[in-house]
Amino acid sequence: MGVVIGETAEIGDDCTLYHGVTLGGTSWEKAKRHPTLGKNVVVGAGAKILGPITIGDDARVGSNSVVVRDVPAGATVVGIPGRIVIAKDDANSEKRSCHGRKNRI
């Protein structure tokens, strides 16, 4: 309940859409006007993905984000408008994921 999936939206295998997600259009044209989600995409609660954009495989969209541009595979997007905070090829992302108590000297 509360999830909106537009008429021309495409959703890949193993995607997770939490409550209140919108995969919406930005025009009334009869052409492709809704988003395409790749495989293994996670879309947080209340997120809005609008327009004929592509969300790449293994991407993450944060809760309540509004995404209006393409998202590359493996990226994490948050905010209004959506901004990439972690990219798959981000050299620091490995450091961020390893930074914790067990790595301290």
Side-chain angles (χ1 to χ4, degrees), residues 70-93:
D70 289 344
V71 176
T76 299
V77 176
V78 298
I80 303 171
R83 295 175 308 279
I84 297 173
V85 293
I86 298 176
K88 186 175 185 178
D89 59 352
D90 184 354
N92 293 323
S93 64

Side-chain angles (χ1 to χ4, degrees), residues 12-100:
D13 294 335
D14 299 320
C15 288
T16 301
L17 305 178
Y18 287 97
H19 64 277
V21 167
T22 299
L23 303 180
T26 55
S27 74
W28 289 101
E29 296 176 21
K30 289 295 180 187
K32 174 79 170 142
R33 61 188 184 278
H34 297 97
T36 298
L37 275 55
K39 297 176 185 174
N40 200 34
V41 172
V42 176
V43 183
K48 313 295 185 252
I49 303 175
L50 306 173
I53 62 175
T54 300
I55 309 298
D57 294 347
D58 300 308
R60 304 290 180 254
V61 177
S63 295
N64 295 313
S65 296
V66 178
V67 182
V68 293
R69 295 185 184 199
D70 289 344
V71 176
T76 299
V77 176
V78 298
I80 303 171
R83 295 175 308 279
I84 297 173
V85 293
I86 298 176
K88 186 175 185 178
D89 59 352
D90 184 354
N92 293 323
S93 64
E94 186 175 333
K95 290 179 186 176
R96 281 188 214 113
S97 64
C98 293
H99 190 268

